[in-house]
Amino acid sequence: MNTQRTAPIGISKAASQRWQENYKRITQGSGRLFLMAGDQKVEHLNDDFVGGQVAVDDADPEHLFRIASQAPVGCFATQLGLVAQYGVDYPEIPYLLKLNSKTHLLPGAEHDPRSRQWQSMAQVAQFIEYAGLPVVGVGYTLYPGSEFEAEMLTEAAQLIHDAHHLGLLAVIWAYPRGKAVGKHEQDPHLIAGAAGLVACLGADFVKVNPPLNEQGIPEARLLGEAVAAAGRTQVVCAGGSEVKPEDFLRRLDEQLREGHSAGCATGRNVHQRSQEEAIALCRAIHSLVVEDRGLEHALTLLQEK
Amino acid sequence: MNTQRTAPIGISKAASQRWQENYKRITQGSGRLFLMAGDQKVEHLNDDFVGGQVAVDDADPEHLFRIASQAPVGCFATQLGLVAQYGVDYPEIPYLLKLNSKTHLLPGAEHDPRSRQWQSMAQVAQFIEYAGLPVVGVGYTLYPGSEFEAEMLTEAAQLIHDAHHLGLLAVIWAYPRGKAVGKHEQDPHLIAGAAGLVACLGADFVKVNPPLNEQGIPEARLLGEAVAAAGRTQVVCAGGSEVKPEDFLRRLDEQLREGHSAGCATGRNVHQRSQEEAIALCRAIHSLVVEDRGLEHALTLLQEK
Amino acid sequence: MNTQRTAPIGISKAASQRWQENYKRITQGSGRLFLMAGDQKVEHLNDDFVGGQVAVDDADPEHLFRIASQAPVGCFATQLGLVAQYGVDYPEIPYLLKLNSKTHLLPGAEHDPRSRQWQSMAQVAQFIEYAGLPVVGVGYTLYPGSEFEAEMLTEAAQLIHDAHHLGLLAVIWAYPRGKAVGKHEQDPHLIAGAAGLVACLGADFVKVNPPLNEQGIPEARLLGEAVAAAGRTQVVCAGGSEVKPEDFLRRLDEQLREGHSAGCATGRNVHQRSQEEAIALCRAIHSLVVEDRGLEHALTLLQEK
Amino acid sequence: MNTQRTAPIGISKAASQRWQENYKRITQGSGRLFLMAGDQKVEHLNDDFVGGQVAVDDADPEHLFRIASQAPVGCFATQLGLVAQYGVDYPEIPYLLKLNSKTHLLPGAEHDPRSRQWQSMAQVAQFIEYAGLPVVGVGYTLYPGSEFEAEMLTEAAQLIHDAHHLGLLAVIWAYPRGKAVGKHEQDPHLIAGAAGLVACLGADFVKVNPPLNEQGIPEARLLGEAVAAAGRTQVVCAGGSEVKPEDFLRRLDEQLREGHSAGCATGRNVHQRSQEEAIALCRAIHSLVVEDRGLEHALTLLQEK
Amino acid sequence: MNTQRTAPIGISKAASQRWQENYKRITQGSGRLFLMAGDQKVEHLNDDFVGGQVAVDDADPEHLFRIASQAPVGCFATQLGLVAQYGVDYPEIPYLLKLNSKTHLLPGAEHDPRSRQWQSMAQVAQFIEYAGLPVVGVGYTLYPGSEFEAEMLTEAAQLIHDAHHLGLLAVIWAYPRGKAVGKHEQDPHLIAGAAGLVACLGADFVKVNPPLNEQGIPEARLLGEAVAAAGRTQVVCAGGSEVKPEDFLRRLDEQLREGHSAGCATGRNVHQRSQEEAIALCRAIHSLVVEDRGLEHALTLLQEK
């Protein structure tokens, strides 16, 4: 793995240096990213946090912070408002502020997705200045193909620019969606297109859904087109809904080895478990993504609760 | 009851201290909130103020100020423009400025709700600076599920951020509504989702409608999911339309004890009564919410007019 | 009549003092308002100024200024652009700058009314600074119930705030209108709702259409609900289309005595007459509204041309 | 003819003086305006510049500048971007910067006209400061009756205000248009309404289409209502599509004498001719409008090529 | 060829001098432009970069930079975000920052094209200041005839103004498109209209699609109307989808000689080839456009790989 990376240009030396430090921190010195995603309380409201197989711990938002503070994550991505309330008790988590979010209440068959930036970058900078937390970056969800695409592209481009000027990393969640996209959301070629688009926006990482096709090609290999298209923007895959830990790790291992992805961004697969199980899974993910010690070793860590 | 609470981080020491003072004042040192809601002159126009059982006193907006000045409320929430006119004669009421409002004239079957912030936060700060009133916070109504959700989420997020920077509390009225929500406005799981969403916005209190279901589960217990989902954002229930004082208090007592809510936000149940009756009811609410002296004591206060 | 009134709070001492002076001037020391409305050249284009019974004088916009300069009006409300052209020759008229206007070309059955602020308040302040005219206030038309209500509510709230900070009076024309309102524009309860809404915006005066009902209750008495709902915001009635002077005065007298309105805002009934007749009518209105000398005296003034 | 005119008030002495100089220049000391309109390359794309009877010279945009520099026009109205490219070679033309324009590609039956200001007034001021050209004013097209009317009214009002503060003249092209206007675009009463509306915006000149009716009343006389309604805002007529020079002059003469218009704004009738013919026609127009030497003299000038 | 050109006026001397230097660089001293277009990763997502005849090299965005750095292009146009990531390794390419882009996901039959500026000009200026790269200009795509035309015209006008004030060249991609344009996108007269429109915006170069008609007139000759209409704004043709190198050069030669175009803007025809072939083609294009050495010589260069 290449653990070094050049900062984007067009920013001051101080910002560049800060970006380098944040890059090292977010990738834990490995050049790969283990992002713990915790923005679902808006995106899916309370659906992901209660009922079914979901651990009882997950009903309380603090569960997310407890995991993130004890597990070896590269960053914990959630909304600024939540960090403003819990950060005082979890001052060592590397935070990634997710700057836009929407609910899933409007049905996609009638409404193309529209998600706007919540806080201005001036407000983000002000927050960071006073909070004294290790905020390493910002995140933004983009829906290429939505009829509101133009609005989101501009917000994303400006946010990435300003993040870099503050020395922050920029991570884009890129999900093609909307009536024009229909059922092709996970088409490998479309996902590659979205990854390439995000490269043109100048983001440091792009989070995509794992590609799917109907011809039996292994999923991880399909990821290759996206990784190539993204160029220097590093690609990580979303984890999706909860699966068995062993299956999760096997899939991730394939994405890393065959798809050449640069890590993972996982939410539900972590926080829907009890604290103990969540932390064990995070250690296994860290071993795979950051330490690069292989699937077998990762699987053994699952047992060490 | 926990009467202490940490201020949100990401603000200056001076703002944090001012927030603490305002928190103490709004909760009357109890950690729980008795909010008197007086924004219905816009939301319901004159429907709530004349006719039927409504006391004659209520036809005059000053009725609201008379009650709020003599009753032990934690704060009185109304529009800045009304405070600008009456505040000079009621300088000791702790005010919460309700910053957005809409009328109910547009039928929901055709128009999703859209409510915009009236005054900018710069104007609010200017008002506070010159008015010399104990303004303790700001309020904003959010309609998750409306097709204008994105616009309101951004306004709410920015308003909460700026309020905290001014040392003010932020209270969000969170009412899922719109064609996509339909008749599920009071679904317990949806209300919990809205409460969790407001936690991600970073508000200090969220006002929700009491949840309802059709399976005979006691209403107050249904509130538990929302209280959990909201985490450190404290949940208070809206009072709804006028009911008998005794019934109102019983319901509130259950919300506090079984639902673990952090108080109440009531409007019509207070101001639609005569001044004397309204104040008596407020004293009973205060006893229940703030003093935590139990239902029986509260009921006796109703008699002490 | 109460001739004193407290300035809105939340503004500087200098602004408060200036507001007091303007209040005295606009009410001519009486606490009641005689507003001469001259914004119809946009609202009704040229329909009000030529043809039928309209005096030939009215074809020329200067007619408005000639009347306003010679008649005892409390203020003359018209667009800034017209004042910029004629003010140099009429430097003693107390002007109220009407800041939004729309034409009546878009049919209401298809288009809800939308009227935006023309000049920014910074431009208004700049105009006042250089013009050297006695500008006493600003005006804005609000259409509650229009699908553009949210936009207009915000403009109105901000304009009122800024006007007060400049020491200017704020007058809101409040006309419920739009497909959702339909034929109920003059429903007494709805007009009262609009008046109460404007109180929450913090305006000093609200101009409403006279309420109508179908049950034979005298119109003036119907106004009482609005006057109560508006609280400290004073209510004046629009004059409507031209009627006989005697009828106009009788109706106004009833509004003042039975409806407890705080004056009148009349346009067509004044400017559609010849200069001589218009001035005579204005003197009669002034006698009724400002001098409070009763209907009989006012009627005699009609003869003194 | 009245050759003097008071500057609008509400601006600084320096701005007022500059306005006076520009007024004198634009009216060539006559109080009447000969505006050469050259904004059709956007409004009509290339339709007006090639084919049919159009002179070959007109295919090149420089044709407009060649005419304007050699003919006695009061001002030449075109887009800033064109002036930025040709102005260096034509430094003595009095320019009027046309600040909004749209194409005719969207069919009116489906799309109401929407035309937005291109450059901000800050950019215009910056351009003027550096360009060193005699820029005498700015222009803007307004479509009363369009569903985008509100947006354009605000842009126009602010632009006029800011123009006057820079000492520039403001000319409004006022064309009632849109589905609500339909075929009544040239109704005399509607045109008068538009002219009166522009007076309320505070513009110095309003350019209207010549009114038409079906009852055989001479067109020029129909213009009288608009001239009256516009008050101190001076009315000039658009020239329309190309007609025979003699007919053009006769019509203009009638507009001036019978309609009391204050000049003309002509585009195609000038630039669709060869340079020689265009200049000859301009000299005739100048004689009629500015020198007021009568139709006969103007007709003789047509021969002096 | 005329190798000199006057800078636009209305800017400072320093900006004018910088513009001159950039003009010389972008035209390589020839007065003609060879623009290498590399914005398709957004416009066409990954469709242009993998599959079919596309060289394997093209899957990686760095392919674009490798070509641009070794081939004699006048400028390489791509998104700022991509330059921010690769520019550090390719510091000598003359860059043109393409400031707006959209995907092709929304079907044109339902959605008129809407493409918004991504970074503000303040952000662009900040980028240039810190990046230390030879950024020579900015680009923007305009869709005349789209229902979003008004929005794009304003963005384009302001961007061109600000670019000139920074001493940068401004290139507009002008593609009539939308439901109102339908199948007439390549109508010669419409393309000429678009070119003339861009002249009015003040751009330095306009990139148009080659005109087509059905009457057998040679394509290059059809371009003449656009070149004339554009006046001092220089016209270059888009290259379109990949064709045989020899055919590409022949067509370009005709455009230059018969259509009097000022160069070419080509993307897919360059980057879809292997690095070696792409560079060979670029040298041939350079010979034709910049060195003006004729078609025969250009064709021989194709062989010198």
Side-chain angles (χ1 to χ4, degrees), chain E residues 1 26-28 30-34 256 261-263 288-290 292:
Chain E
M1 288 186 295
I26 208 172
T27 65
Q28 303 177 71
S30 76
R32 291 213 298 214
L33 174 66
F34 169 20
L256 294 167
S261 76
L288 206 55
V289 169
V290 175
D292 198 20

Side-chain angles (χ1 to χ4, degrees), chain C residues 212-248:
Chain C
L212 284 182
N213 73 355
E214 293 165 347
Q215 291 139 25
I217 301 176
E219 175 195 304
R221 206 168 300 159
L222 293 172
L223 196 54
E225 187 187 340
V227 169
R232 296 186 177 180
T233 297
Q234 295 179 270
V235 177
V236 299
C237 275
S241 54
E242 193 187 346
V243 295
K244 272 203 267 177
E246 292 76 10
D247 295 345
F248 181 87

Side-chain angles (χ1 to χ4, degrees), chain A residues 80-137:
Chain A
L80 186 153
L82 217 52
V83 180
Q85 292 188 87
Y86 289 94
V88 65
D89 293 328
Y90 301 92
E92 288 171 17
I93 298 172
Y95 291 101
L96 189 119
L97 303 175
K98 181 77 193 310
L99 294 184
N100 70 334
S101 283
K102 55 176 274 302
T103 74
H104 56 5
L105 292 172
L106 289 167
E110 292 162 39
H111 296 273
D112 273 10
R114 176 178 222 170
S115 191
R116 284 202 193 153
Q117 187 174 337
W118 286 12
Q119 290 86 10
S120 72
M121 284 305 287
Q123 290 178 317
V124 169
Q126 199 180 24
F127 176 78
I128 293 175
E129 180 190 344
Y130 284 114
L133 298 174
V135 175
V136 294

Side-chain angles (χ1 to χ4, degrees), chain C residues 231-280:
Chain C
R232 296 186 177 180
T233 297
Q234 295 179 270
V235 177
V236 299
C237 275
S241 54
E242 193 187 346
V243 295
K244 272 203 267 177
E246 292 76 10
D247 295 345
F248 181 87
L249 292 173
R250 272 193 199 93
R251 193 187 197 195
L252 174 55
D253 181 55
E254 286 170 13
Q255 289 170 352
L256 293 167
R257 283 188 301 104
E258 296 198 40
H260 302 288
S261 76
C264 71
T266 186
R268 285 171 283 177
N269 267 289
V270 167
H271 67 70
Q272 290 187 342
R273 304 182 201 279
S274 70
Q275 189 173 344
E276 191 185 31
E277 288 176 338
I279 291 171

Side-chain angles (χ1 to χ4, degrees), chain E residues 245-255 257 288 295 299:
Chain E
E246 292 77 9
D247 294 345
F248 181 88
L249 293 172
R250 272 194 198 92
R251 191 188 197 194
L252 174 55
D253 181 55
E254 285 170 13
Q255 288 169 354
R257 283 188 302 102
L288 206 55
L295 179 62
L299 289 170

Side-chain angles (χ1 to χ4, degrees), chain E residues 15-288:
Chain E
S16 183
Q17 191 167 349
R18 194 165 166 204
W19 186 96
Q20 291 283 8
E21 287 160 13
N22 283 327
Y23 181 75
K24 192 172 173 189
R25 183 154 198 169
I26 208 172
T27 65
Q28 303 177 71
S30 76
R32 291 213 298 214
L33 174 66
F34 169 20
L35 180 150
M36 174 178 157
D39 61 337
Q40 299 90 349
K41 285 178 75 71
V42 181
E43 302 292 346
H44 306 155
L45 294 178
N46 220 34
D47 295 357
D48 292 356
F49 298 90
V50 294
Q53 307 266 28
V54 178
V56 175
D57 296 1
D58 208 15
D60 178 357
E62 193 157 0
H63 182 53
L64 298 167
F65 290 83
R66 287 192 202 103
I67 299 168
S69 67
Q70 295 178 36
V73 303
C75 68
F76 166 46
T78 195
Q79 288 87 6
L80 186 155
L82 217 53
V83 180
Q85 292 188 88
Y86 290 94
V88 64
D89 293 327
Y90 301 92
E92 288 172 17
I93 298 173
Y95 291 101
L96 188 120
L97 303 175
K98 181 77 193 310
L99 295 183
N100 71 335
S101 284
K102 55 176 274 302
T103 73
H104 56 5
L105 292 172
L106 289 168
E110 293 161 39
H111 295 273
D112 273 11
R114 177 179 220 168
S115 191
R116 284 204 193 152
Q117 187 174 336
W118 286 12
Q119 290 86 9
S120 71
M121 284 305 288
Q123 291 179 317
V124 169
Q126 199 179 24
F127 176 79
I128 293 174
E129 180 190 342
Y130 284 114
L133 299 175
V135 176
V136 295
V138 293
Y140 186 90
T141 303
L142 183 73
Y143 298 104
S146 163
E147 60 172 311
F148 304 106
E149 176 194 286
E151 180 178 297
M152 292 182 278
L153 284 171
T154 293
E155 280 204 342
Q158 301 206 350
L159 169 152
I160 293 165
H161 179 96
D162 289 344
H164 288 165
H165 278 269
L166 292 169
L168 300 171
L169 276 279
V171 180
I172 299 295
W173 279 232
Y175 302 147
R177 196 163 293 168
K179 290 185 287 290
V181 172
K183 299 184 174 175
H184 303 286
E185 292 188 7
Q186 288 185 273
D187 175 83
H189 183 55
L190 181 53
I191 285 177
L197 158 57
V198 172
C200 295
L201 287 166
D204 304 301
F205 287 92
V206 57
K207 178 187 177 193
V208 296
N209 276 315
L212 285 181
N213 73 354
E214 293 167 345
Q215 290 139 26
I217 301 175
E219 174 194 305
R221 205 169 301 160
L222 293 172
L223 196 54
E225 186 186 341
V227 170
R232 295 185 177 181
T233 297
Q234 295 179 270
V235 177
V236 299
C237 275
S241 55
E242 194 187 344
V243 295
K244 274 202 267 179
E246 292 77 9
D247 294 345
F248 181 88
L249 293 172
R250 272 194 198 92
R251 191 188 197 194
L252 174 55
D253 181 55
E254 285 170 13
Q255 288 169 354
L256 294 167
R257 283 188 302 102
E258 295 198 41
H260 302 289
S261 76
C264 71
T266 185
R268 284 170 284 177
N269 267 290
V270 167
H271 67 70
Q272 289 186 341
R273 305 181 199 280
S274 69
Q275 188 174 342
E276 191 185 31
E277 287 175 340
I279 292 170
L281 179 55
C282 286
R283 285 188 181 139
I285 295 171
H286 175 262
S287 165
L288 206 55

Side-chain angles (χ1 to χ4, degrees), chain D residues 131-145:
Chain D
L133 299 175
V135 176
V136 294
V138 293
Y140 186 90
T141 302
L142 183 73
Y143 298 104

